[in-house]
Amino acid sequence: MIREAQGLSERRACELVGIERSSYRYAFRRPEAAGLRERLRELAQERRRFGYRRLTVLLRREGWAVNHKRVYRLYREAGLGVRRRKRKRIGAGQRQPLTIPTRRDERWSLDFVSDALTDGRKFRSLNIVDDYNRECLAAEVDTSIPGARVVRVLERLRERRGLPQLLVMDNGPEFAGQAVDVWAYEQGVQLHFIEPGKPVQNAFIESFNGKMRDECLNEHWFMSLREARETIEAWRRDYNEVRPHSSLGNRTPQEFTGGAGAALPPRAAPERRAKARNYPGTRIMIGTQNGGRSLNESFHFLAPILVAQDPIEKYQPFTVNRSFELVINVIGIGPLLLHDLDHIRKFEM
C-alpha cells in the first residue's frame, strides 16, 4: 500500500486521503448465511439462463431473507453470469402498442418453433399462449403439424378449459388453410392474421418463443423425438408453475390467476408525486427576467401576502413553467395577473 511505501503513519495517511481512521479500520463483520452461496450456485447451474434477479425470487421462495443487492454481490464473487447472445438488428419503424387482454381466455396466440435432433431430423413445436397471464397452454411437438393436427390440439384445449374469443396467428399454411377456418366458423371463434413480415404484431407468442429457445431448446441435445417431447413438456410445466415472470410481478401464471381461473386483484401501483394542477383563482407570475430577481427572492417576498390570505386553505403549491416563471395559485383575490415585483408591491400597499 501507499502508506507502507511512503512510511506514513495511519493518522497522517488518513488526513491526506480525507477519511476517518474508524472508516479505515472498518472490517465487514456480518456473518454470511450458511449455505446461501452454495444454494445460489446450485440454482444457477440448474437454470443457466436466469440472471441474479430471478435467482433472488427463487431464493426468497425458499425462505432466504436476502435482497437483490446481496445476491448480486455473491453472484459476481462466484463468477456467475448469463452470456448475452447476439440478436439480429431490427430496423427502426413506427411502433404501436398492443391491446392488453383484461381476462383469462380472451385471446390466445399461436406460432411454431423449429429445432433439430442430433441426427439432423427437423421437428416443430406448436405453441399456444394465453396473452392475459402468459400461460403456455400447449407445446405440441412433431416432425409435421398440418392444419388438421392444429385443430385436434385446439379441440383438446376446448374440452379442458373452453375456447377464447380471438386467435392471433401468422399467415402460415397450417393456420390459413381450410381446416382451421372451418373449425373456427363452427366454434364461433374469430381468427386474426397478422400482416406478412410483421411478427411484432404477435409479440406475446414471439416473446414466449424467444424464452423457450433460450432456456430450453438451446440448453439440450435431443436424441429422439420422444426425448424432445418429454423435455419440452417438463419445461412448459416449469414455465407455468415455477418460473417467475417479471411482467406479472415475479409471479407465475397460475399465481397470477389464482390457480382456478379467477384473476387476482392487481397490486397497488407505487405512489407517485402528484403533478401540479391549475386551481381556480388568480395566477401570480413573477418573471425572473424582469429586474433579474431570483425565484427564491420572489417567493420569500410573497410570503406575507400568502400568510394574510390563510396559506393553509387559500394557497396552493407553486410550479415553474417553461418560461422560468414562478406560478402561484391564490384563491379569492380576483382577476389579477402580475409580471413584476414592483406591481406586487403596489398590490400589497
Side-chain angles (χ1 to χ4, degrees):
M1 295 177 63
I2 299 178
R3 176 190 167 193
E4 287 75 8
Q6 300 295 330
L8 300 176
S9 64
E10 179 183 295
R11 185 189 302 274
R12 180 57 178 166
C14 291
E15 289 178 356
L16 293 176
V17 178
I19 63 174
E20 297 291 338
R21 287 194 294 168
S22 59
S23 299
Y24 173 76
R25 297 174 179 175
Y26 174 78
F28 184 78
R29 298 183 180 88
R30 181 187 303 172
E32 193 70 56
L36 176 59
R37 193 184 300 268
E38 290 73 14
R39 183 53 183 161
L40 178 61
R41 284 179 175 273
E42 293 175 1
L43 288 176
Q45 290 295 329
E46 294 174 3
R47 303 176 181 273
R48 301 195 304 165
R49 300 305 300 174
F50 276 22
Y52 75 96
R53 293 187 181 274
R54 281 201 171 93
L55 293 177
T56 302
V57 176
L58 297 181
L59 288 173
R60 288 176 178 173
R61 288 181 181 176
E62 296 179 359
W64 295 95
V66 293
N67 59 10
H68 68 280
K69 294 180 289 186
R70 186 178 184 186
V71 174
Y72 178 72
R73 177 176 59 83
L74 299 176
Y75 190 81
R76 297 288 292 179
E77 291 177 357
L80 303 175
V82 179
R83 182 175 61 87
R84 293 188 178 182
R85 297 190 172 104
K86 294 183 179 180
R87 296 191 177 185
K88 182 174 62 176
R89 189 180 297 273
I90 301 177
Q94 185 178 3
R95 304 287 191 265
Q96 295 182 355
L98 291 175
T99 57
I100 305 300
T102 58
R103 60 181 178 82
R104 181 177 181 237
D105 295 333
E106 179 179 347
R107 187 180 70 198
W108 294 356
S109 297
L110 292 79
D111 200 6
F112 286 98
V113 173
S114 300
D115 205 349
L117 303 176
T118 54
D119 58 4
R121 285 191 300 162
K122 301 289 185 180
F123 69 87
R124 310 178 77 188
S125 174
L126 170 63
N127 298 332
I128 304 178
V129 173
D130 190 330
D131 292 350
Y132 173 68
N133 60 355
R134 301 351 183 234
E135 180 182 1
C136 179
L137 307 178
E140 189 77 4
V141 178
D142 209 333
T143 54
S144 176
I145 305 179
R149 181 73 172 274
V150 175
V151 171
R152 291 201 298 270
V153 175
L154 292 173
E155 277 294 313
R156 291 204 306 266
L157 293 177
R158 181 183 66 84
E159 296 174 357
R160 191 177 68 188
R161 58 183 290 159
L163 292 174
Q165 297 179 353
L166 181 67
L167 292 177
V168 182
M169 59 194 73
D170 58 24
N171 295 270
E174 301 86 358
F175 300 139
Q178 184 179 7
V180 176
D181 184 65
V182 172
W183 174 87
Y185 177 79
E186 295 175 350
Q187 301 296 331
V189 177
Q190 182 181 358
L191 301 180
H192 175 75
F193 297 94
I194 64 175
E195 298 181 43
K198 294 186 177 181
V200 70
Q201 295 181 0
N202 201 4
F204 289 98
I205 191 68
E206 293 294 340
S207 175
F208 172 82
N209 291 344
K211 295 179 177 65
M212 179 179 182
R213 185 170 298 280
D214 185 40
E215 300 176 9
C216 180
L217 300 181
N218 291 348
E219 295 294 310
H220 296 88
W221 285 88
F222 303 113
M223 304 295 294
S224 63
L225 191 62
R226 177 180 179 181
E227 181 183 354
R229 288 171 177 167
E230 294 176 352
T231 303
I232 292 176
E233 177 62 20
W235 180 86
R236 186 189 72 86
R237 293 181 179 276
D238 181 85
Y239 180 88
N240 292 335
E241 301 171 4
V242 180
R243 184 187 188 276
H245 294 246
S246 57
S247 60
L248 305 179
N250 286 326
R251 291 175 287 182
T252 65
Q254 292 189 355
E255 291 175 345
F256 184 73
T257 54
L264 295 175
R267 294 186 176 182
E271 295 184 0
R272 296 182 178 180
R273 183 176 299 177
K275 296 182 178 180
R277 295 178 294 176
N278 292 329
Y279 295 91
T282 302
R283 305 180 67 189
I284 300 179
M285 308 174 66
I286 306 172
T288 58
Q289 68 274 17
N290 296 333
R293 302 181 184 275
S294 65
L295 294 177
N296 290 333
E297 180 183 356
S298 303
F299 179 74
H300 288 306
F301 178 79
L302 281 177
I305 302 179
L306 300 178
V307 173
Q309 293 294 331
D310 188 4
I312 298 179
E313 298 180 0
K314 304 294 184 181
Y315 169 68
Q316 302 295 345
F318 67 91
T319 59
V320 178
N321 61 14
R322 293 184 178 179
S323 301
F324 299 99
E325 295 174 324
L326 186 67
V327 180
I328 301 179
N329 296 289
V330 183
I331 302 176
I333 297 181
L336 185 62
L337 182 63
L338 304 175
H339 295 270
D340 200 316
L341 283 177
D342 294 333
H343 296 152
I344 295 289
R345 293 191 181 95
K346 292 178 182 179
F347 170 73
E348 186 183 20
M349 296 173 58

